[in-house]
Amino acid sequence: MRGATLVLVAWCTLLFTAAMPVVAMERVDVEEQLRIIGRGESPTPRISGAEFRIGAFTYEDPDGTGLGNALAALVGHEMLLNTDVRSLGVLVFEGNLSPSQGDRLSYYDKVDRVIAAQGVSIATWGVVRRIDEQLIIDTFVQIPQELLETRFSWQGALPAAMGGGVLRSRLRPGRIRTQRLRVPASAAERFVVAADMLSELREAPNRASRVTGSVPREEVYYVRERAGDWVQLQTRRDNGWVPLRGHCTGPCAPLLEAAAFTGALVRFMANPEDPPLPEATSGLSADVLAVTEQLQVLVGLRDFAEDSMREPLALASRWTGSKRWTGLDERSGIDRGAGVPPGGAAFANLRAIAAIGAALAETRGATAAAYDDLELPKAPIRGLADELARASLDDPRNSDVLENLAVLFDAAGDGRRAGLARDIAQTAAAQE
Amino acid sequence: MRIFLSYESSQRAIAEKIAIRLQRKHEVFFDRDTLQASDAFDSEIREWIERKAEIFIFLISPGALTSGNYTVTELGFAKRRWKNPAGRVLPVLVEGVIEEVDDAYLTSINLLVPKGNVEAEVASEVERMARWRIPRWGALAAAAVLIAGLAMVLRTMLPFAVEQTLSGQILDLTTGLAIPGAAVEVRRDSEIVGSGNSDPAGGFELSFSLPSSAAPVSATLHVNHDGFESRSKVLRLEGEVDAGSVTLHLLPKSVAGCRLIGRQAAGAEEPEQVGHGIVVGHFRLPGADDDPDLSRRIAETLTYNINPWLQEQRVPTEVLPLFVACDLAMPQIISRSGHMAGALGADALIFGDVEPAADAYTVSTYVGDSHHIFNPPRTTVSEAVNLNRPSIAQLDAETRIAILTALIAGYETQERYNECISAAVAAERIQAAERTPQIDLHDIAERKARCQSRIGNFALLGGDD
């Protein structure tokens, strides 16, 4: 394994200099990883030369549908070849993550532990079940806390005249139910065939072309060129063409939407200056819609106190407050549901920040004062803080919300509640 | 004396009469209903029970021991302060019957069951308790020494022993049915002073002699039966006063091993609730082909069905519920399942029937809870549950939400208000994800609102500084 790692590092170094997209995949025994972590040791990092690494956990398949590996291969392949970042590694974690009797650890815990130990940027996992004549395929995405703080967040200071307190927001939830896919059980074969086809290297970019080898699963390779729905891969031994999506059409196609969403999150991370926004497509969940719109708001907040603040304010208001949108979203085709939105008070938090930003923009336009001299009346700030405090009751451990409440109450001249919010925030942050 | 009077709101009228009577001689805290819920209010109550009060009066009525009521919280404070309630806690049965009092702490001492004027009888009992409180200041201490000396002199003039009669009933905690043939003994120190066996109706009556004493003496009632866990209860007996009547519920040995881990610390006098859990009891198959492994498979199914929803809401791992398989837990009387859950230290006990279908099972479930929410137990039916593969099987949303309701009540009772809110939000999320608007979340919404009113965040609302 050490030899393989050295080869990987050497290849990565070489290929980075050639400015080609470097992609690699490696299988990892998840049960062994958990045992190592359980002993208090650190597992050896895999594909450590890659700038971004995605964990793709084999779909739990306790019903014996035979699809666990095929689904992981399809999702892994989609992320590997369509994420479009320069240096990407996919770790395919194989093994059992099921909860067991007397053990409170769930999938989320185990995935958290493994990806933290490997320093993985983002992870996707799932469960495939067969109920009567249907297959139900659930897919999840988890983002480590550290990356939520550094790559999926915003923070900015109020004007000095308002105390200069720092407002902040992080993406929530970081544990995302990406998709529940229901397909006829008769479609199982289609997933297997589609996955098989993706593993074959062909002489030319068409299905009729001769198979010259197979895509290596445990070594680094890079993309030489693209031709339509095909990419040419260069491996250590030879090269060949593989389809980007291949036969994953019909009932298989929505699965790739889940993988594409994960890839879009990686692209968002990879381009911090001008992050491309992920899209919520109709085959995905309300969590995904919430995440995509939250990211839009977070990006929009970069123009805090500028005229463009109305847009993030309107976006955040779709999920919270008296004008919360409910039911089917016409644009995405996703049901927004009702009540507490995914991420708890995260949207209320963003809405309060955007409202402050919009009010500052308005004041700045009217007075032409310098930013640090701007000051808003206390009553509306207190109103926003009251609204945010109400939302925090459904999400009491959200430390972003509590810290922002401390800042807003200070700016509204309510020292008592500011102090209280600060105290609660400290406790909440310690528990995170 | 400083007295805290705990009562359910519906008993306010009688509580007020008792308070007025007691206030002639004592300082009484009872006016909880006129105060607004707030941190200051909570801390005042806590301060009173945990520090100021010398006697804690608990008015027992059907709702007083129901989870979510203030009375349960107040009783919890008293339990923490006085591990041994004798001489400190006065339980008064103002409504209902003794057999329904399902709280080991309260039933470990003699309940006052007023026969006539409630306030007069309570006042009389309080006076009796007050007489035996140790005075704190010197003059009274000297008086006490004098009285003690006098008592020793008087004692030589009184008979050496008085006859006592203790009667009662021994019942199965899980079924409420009588336990005949239980060995019943009263001991003072290690000496057996009276013994007998319970009759076919579970009843017993023991006559025994105790040395004459002006002060109450303690004795211990021990009950043993081959099929049940032994149980003891400390009695407070007074010279010329009859020992009265006690009812003891015994836990069958067959299910004693299903108690939730850590629920009762080894050697502890009283149960300490340190975890949350659901006991998954017996599930019957049609005919005689029972499968003892069904409860394990359903427990495993629920671990996957429920815990990820709670984890999504960041419920800490250490307070996630345990789902404990216990095939021997099969309530013979369905309405007693909540009591059985309580006896096992669980928030709920689920059990039921399983009907094999083509590739899966139809699972009919009873959810009985220890917080008296579902009475009778909630019944649900889950179709197409693949119990051959527990980790992928899925019980229906109604079953999961019923179980979450019991957990929410458990979190609330343990003052884990953040988890109470998180579990309520999880239930709302399940309802939305499964598109089951017909499931009534009214009870959960009420509990969530109560828990929200107890967290620090609540004090962030509506300030007027």
Side-chain angles (χ1 to χ4, degrees):
Chain A
M1 186 53 65
R2 183 173 296 167
T5 306
L6 289 173
V7 171
L8 285 173
V9 171
W11 269 82
C12 288
T13 311
L14 175 69
L15 294 170
F16 287 163
T17 55
M20 286 181 177
V22 181
V23 290
M25 186 181 268
E26 183 175 353
R27 278 183 290 186
V28 184
D29 181 341
V30 72
E31 291 172 59
E32 188 196 358
Q33 295 280 300
L34 285 168
R35 277 195 295 275
I36 294 170
I37 297 164
R39 291 199 299 267
E41 299 168 12
S42 300
T44 308
R46 307 296 177 88
I47 321 184
S48 55
E51 186 180 1
F52 294 99
R53 294 183 299 152
I54 304 177
F57 288 76
T58 298
Y59 279 57
E60 290 290 306
D61 181 24
D63 212 15
T65 64
L67 292 179
N69 285 332
L71 293 169
L74 287 164
V75 168
H77 183 91
E78 172 69 18
M79 294 189 301
L80 200 66
L81 297 183
N82 289 320
T83 295
D84 198 22
V85 295
R86 211 179 63 132
S87 167
L88 180 70
V90 173
L91 305 186
V92 177
F93 291 100
E94 294 182 343
N96 184 19
L97 283 173
S98 297
S100 53
Q101 173 79 19
D103 177 2
R104 289 187 174 98
L105 290 182
S106 73
Y107 289 115
Y108 286 124
D109 291 319
K110 293 179 180 175
V111 170
D112 266 345
R113 288 186 181 192
V114 172
I115 64 177
Q118 279 291 343
V120 166
S121 308
I122 203 163
T124 178
W125 56 277
V127 182
V128 54
R129 299 178 294 144
R130 179 178 174 153
I131 294 181
D132 293 335
E133 290 309 306
Q134 268 198 330
L135 293 174
I136 296 182
I137 304 166
D138 286 324
T139 302
F140 301 79
V141 164
Q142 276 176 250
I143 307 171
Q145 193 65 27
E146 184 189 340
L147 287 174
L148 289 174
E149 285 171 14
T150 54
R151 302 291 183 109
F152 297 93
S153 61
W154 173 89
Q155 70 174 43
L158 289 178
M162 292 174 67
V166 174
L167 298 171
R168 69 185 80 239
S169 183
R170 278 173 292 185
L171 176 71
R172 282 177 188 252
R175 296 169 169 182
I176 306 162
R177 287 176 179 268
T178 314
Q179 183 182 62
R180 166 162 284 189
L181 182 59
R182 295 171 193 267
V183 298
S186 57
E189 187 63 19
R190 188 184 285 253
F191 288 91
V192 176
V193 170
D196 284 348
M197 189 181 173
L198 296 177
S199 66
E200 295 167 342
L201 284 173
R202 292 174 187 271
E203 200 169 42
N206 64 72
R207 289 175 191 175
S209 172
R210 190 170 65 88
V211 174
T212 58
S214 58
V215 177
R217 296 198 63 188
E218 297 183 43
E219 70 177 59
V220 69
Y221 49 90
Y222 66 94
V223 177
R224 290 184 66 158
E225 65 175 297
R226 292 177 183 245
D229 186 43
W230 292 78
V231 288
Q232 189 184 33
L233 303 181
Q234 174 71 57
T235 73
R236 272 197 292 169
R237 282 178 292 280
D238 60 303
N239 64 62
W241 292 86
V242 292
L244 281 169
R245 295 193 166 168
H247 280 174
C248 191
T249 55
C252 174
L255 181 73
L256 301 185
E257 290 182 48
F261 170 70
T262 309
L265 290 175
V266 176
R267 278 198 300 280
F268 184 92
M269 269 192 294
N271 298 280
E273 295 305 315
D274 185 18
L277 289 165
E279 278 192 36
T281 48
S282 60
L284 302 177
S285 68
D287 277 18
V288 170
L289 181 59
V291 165
T292 56
E293 293 190 348
Q294 233 179 85
L295 291 177
Q296 275 182 267
V297 180
L298 286 170
V299 171
L301 287 177
R302 293 178 177 194
D303 296 326
F304 186 69
E306 301 291 339
D307 288 342
S308 56
M309 272 297 94
R310 292 281 161 206
E311 193 178 338
L313 177 58
L315 269 170
S317 302
R318 290 179 184 178
W319 292 91
T320 185
S322 58
K323 293 177 182 168
R324 184 204 195 288
W325 291 11
T326 58
L328 201 67
D329 178 68
E330 283 184 16
R331 199 179 59 81
S332 65
I334 296 172
D335 188 347
R336 287 177 183 272
V340 180
F347 277 105
N349 191 35
L350 288 169
R351 186 171 186 271
I353 295 170
I356 294 281
L360 286 171
E362 204 169 305
T363 308
R364 179 188 256 179
T367 64
Y371 179 75
D372 272 335
D373 295 332
L374 295 174
E375 191 167 6
L376 299 176
K378 290 185 169 33
I381 300 174
R382 187 178 290 207
L384 286 169
D386 280 338
E387 198 176 311
L388 186 54
R390 270 192 297 280
S392 86
L393 293 180
D394 277 326
D395 189 8
R397 278 180 282 243
N398 189 325
S399 58
D400 289 348
V401 167
L402 292 162
E403 284 166 14
N404 288 349
L405 278 169
V407 171
L408 292 176
F409 280 128
D410 265 337
D414 188 339
R416 181 186 68 82
R417 286 198 283 173
L420 182 57
R422 205 162 277 122
D423 289 345
I424 304 170
Q426 275 176 3
T427 309
Q431 289 171 350
E432 270 185 336
Chain B
M1 302 288 289
R2 287 185 297 276
I3 298 168
F4 189 96
L5 180 52
S6 176
Y7 61 95
E8 187 200 356
S9 294
S10 65
Q11 303 299 326
R12 181 173 168 76
I14 185 67
E16 197 167 359
K17 285 182 186 173
I18 294 170
I20 290 169
R21 177 66 175 257
L22 293 175
Q23 280 167 342
R24 293 178 192 168
K25 288 189 174 179
H26 308 285
E27 186 182 352
V28 181
F29 183 101
F30 93 105
D31 207 12
R32 178 220 307 145
D33 280 2
T34 63
L35 300 174
Q36 294 294 316
S38 70
D39 280 354
F41 168 58
D42 286 346
S43 58
E44 188 177 354
I45 286 183
R46 193 184 273 259
E47 169 76 9
W48 251 92
I49 301 175
E50 293 186 343
R51 300 181 68 88
K52 290 184 181 172
E54 292 160 286
I55 290 177
F56 178 83
I57 299 176
F58 189 80
L59 301 191
I60 302 173
S61 57
L65 290 169
T66 299
S67 154
N69 272 339
Y70 241 109
T71 42
V72 175
T73 307
E74 291 165 355
L75 182 59
F77 292 153
K79 286 177 179 177
R80 276 201 287 274
R81 181 172 177 195
W82 296 298
K83 293 293 180 199
N84 180 1
R88 294 293 193 176
V89 178
L90 174 60
V92 183
L93 188 68
V94 291
E95 193 181 324
V97 291
I98 288 180
E99 288 72 20
E100 291 298 320
V101 179
D102 187 24
D103 186 288
Y105 185 77
L106 293 176
T107 55
S108 70
I109 48 178
N110 290 340
L111 304 187
L112 176 64
V113 185
K115 296 178 177 61
N117 184 310
V118 179
E119 56 269 34
E121 290 182 46
V122 170
S124 165
E125 187 62 23
V126 166
E127 291 312 307
R128 200 189 327 275
M129 293 167 81
R131 276 203 299 276
W132 302 111
R133 296 260 56 81
I134 299 169
R136 289 182 180 172
W137 49 92
L140 284 180
V145 171
L146 189 62
I147 291 167
L150 189 60
M152 288 180 69
V153 173
L154 285 173
R155 186 176 170 183
T156 61
M157 300 163 66
L158 293 171
F160 283 102
V162 290
E163 285 298 311
Q164 290 270 359
T165 302
L166 177 71
S167 61
Q169 196 177 22
I170 310 299
L171 302 174
D172 183 332
L173 195 149
T174 62
T175 63
L177 297 176
I179 303 175
V184 186
E185 294 173 354
V186 174
R187 293 185 198 173
R188 275 209 75 206
D189 300 326
S190 56
E191 182 191 358
I192 298 172
V193 296
S195 63
N197 287 297
S198 59
D199 60 26
F204 68 89
E205 186 171 300
L206 302 180
S207 294
F208 51 93
S209 299
L210 285 178
S212 172
S213 167
V217 294
S218 66
T220 310
L221 175 66
H222 293 275
V223 183
N224 293 291
H225 189 288
D226 283 347
F228 295 84
E229 281 203 320
S230 298
R231 184 152 178 213
S232 302
K233 177 176 179 170
V234 176
L235 304 171
R236 190 169 53 94
L237 304 169
E238 296 187 35
E240 303 299 328
V241 181
D242 191 67
S245 176
V246 293
T247 300
L248 282 184
H249 291 88
L250 305 188
L251 183 67
K253 283 180 179 168
S254 59
V255 295
C258 302
R259 272 208 191 94
L260 287 187
I261 300 161
R263 180 79 168 199
Q264 182 160 1
E269 285 183 12
E270 298 296 336
E272 287 180 33
Q273 190 158 335
V274 295
H276 287 276
I278 306 297
V279 170
V280 180
H282 184 69
F283 278 79
R284 285 184 310 181
L285 278 167
D289 302 329
D290 266 3
D291 178 357
D293 195 44
L294 275 175
S295 60
R296 182 195 63 78
R297 286 190 269 169
I298 292 173
E300 200 169 314
T301 298
L302 285 167
T303 302
Y304 174 67
N305 282 185
I306 289 182
N307 283 2
W309 289 97
L310 295 171
Q311 292 219 300
E312 211 176 70
Q313 300 303 316
R314 305 267 171 196
V315 172
T317 302
E318 63 272 17
V319 288
L320 285 174
L322 280 175
F323 293 89
V324 177
C326 181
D327 185 62
L328 293 170
M330 50 178 110
Q332 293 165 34
I333 298 174
I334 289 170
S335 62
R336 295 284 303 176
S337 57
H339 292 87
M340 192 164 178
L344 295 174
D347 291 313
L349 166 67
I350 73 164
F351 57 101
D353 300 285
V354 169
E355 181 82 33
D359 286 334
Y361 296 81
T362 298
V363 180
S364 303
T365 310
Y366 290 101
V367 181
D369 71 284
S370 56
H371 308 286
H372 313 292
I373 303 164
F374 303 129
N375 195 12
R378 172 69 57 84
T379 55
T380 59
V381 177
S382 304
E383 307 278 358
V385 183
N386 189 347
L387 292 176
N388 296 322
R389 304 285 181 182
S391 50
I392 55 99
Q394 182 118 320
L395 295 178
D396 75 319
E398 193 172 5
T399 308
R400 284 179 278 155
I401 287 175
I403 290 169
L404 278 172
T405 304
L407 281 172
I408 291 163
Y411 286 136
E412 184 186 4
T413 303
Q414 283 194 16
E415 300 174 27
R416 288 195 163 276
Y417 300 123
N418 283 336
E419 286 72 29
C420 162
I421 295 163
S422 297
V425 172
E428 291 169 11
R429 297 259 295 152
I430 289 174
Q431 191 203 37
E434 303 287 338
R435 298 180 185 178
T436 50
Q438 73 280 7
I439 297 177
D440 182 9
L441 296 185
H442 183 73
D443 183 84
I444 287 179
E446 277 188 358
R447 286 176 194 280
K448 185 173 101 172
R450 269 204 306 272
C451 291
Q452 287 175 330
S453 73
R454 303 290 174 83
I455 58 175
N457 305 49
F458 193 74
L460 295 172
L461 301 182
D464 51 9
D465 287 5

